[in-house]
Amino acid sequence: MKKIEAIIRTSRFEQIHTCISGLGVKFLSFYEIKGMGFEHARQEKYRGVAYEPAYIPRTKLEIVTTDDLVEPVIQCILKEGKTGEIGDGKIFVFDVLDAYRIRNNDTGENAL
């Protein structure tokens, strides 16, 4: 099993989610995050005063899946998340030693 963490543009979340769901991934977690990188935040106005925020909002996905779905999930994120601009995001892959389903004590891939 592997855990895939991806930091993506929030605007690309629906396309990525649709692609991943089509693969049969049963569960994913996502949440809004803020970060800084090579892309600079755009200047915004608040009450007529221009300011440049020090962060850029993004969405972080966390997906634990079987080894056979890792590459298709990564390809979904790469294909649907790409705009070709700086700030498209990053993908990280980690080994998962074990998983447990609390409800009925399933372990390993059965717990997914």
Side-chain angles (χ1 to χ4, degrees):
M1 293 179 295
K2 303 281 188 205
K3 179 180 183 182
I4 301 167
E5 290 186 5
I7 299 170
I8 62 168
R9 292 180 185 273
T10 301
S11 63
R12 305 301 294 172
F13 173 76
E14 287 301 325
Q15 294 92 325
I16 292 170
H17 177 257
T18 300
C19 185
I20 290 171
S21 296
L23 296 174
V25 172
K26 298 175 186 173
F27 180 81
L28 65 84
S29 298
F30 67 96
Y31 45 97
E32 300 301 316
I33 61 170
K34 298 174 185 176
M36 296 180 293
F38 290 118
E39 181 185 28
H40 298 288
R42 289 184 217 102
Q43 192 176 59
E44 297 183 16
K45 285 190 176 190
Y46 178 72
R47 295 187 176 183
V49 177
Y51 73 98
E52 188 172 306
Y55 63 86
I56 299 173
R58 292 288 184 255
T59 298
K60 184 173 185 179
L61 304 175
E62 293 183 355
I63 305 161
V64 177
T65 189
T66 57
D67 290 337
D68 60 320
L69 283 179
V70 171
E71 193 57 35
V73 168
I74 290 170
Q75 290 307 311
C76 272
I77 298 168
L78 290 172
K79 177 183 165 205
E80 300 298 335
K82 182 178 181 177
T83 67
E85 301 292 324
I86 293 174
D88 279 348
K90 301 272 192 278
I91 301 171
F92 306 97
V93 181
F94 305 92
D95 287 323
V96 174
L97 299 177
D98 212 348
Y100 299 86
R101 178 175 290 140
I102 296 170
R103 176 175 46 92
N104 60 8
N105 295 332
D106 282 350
T107 61
E109 290 183 6
N110 293 331
L112 299 179

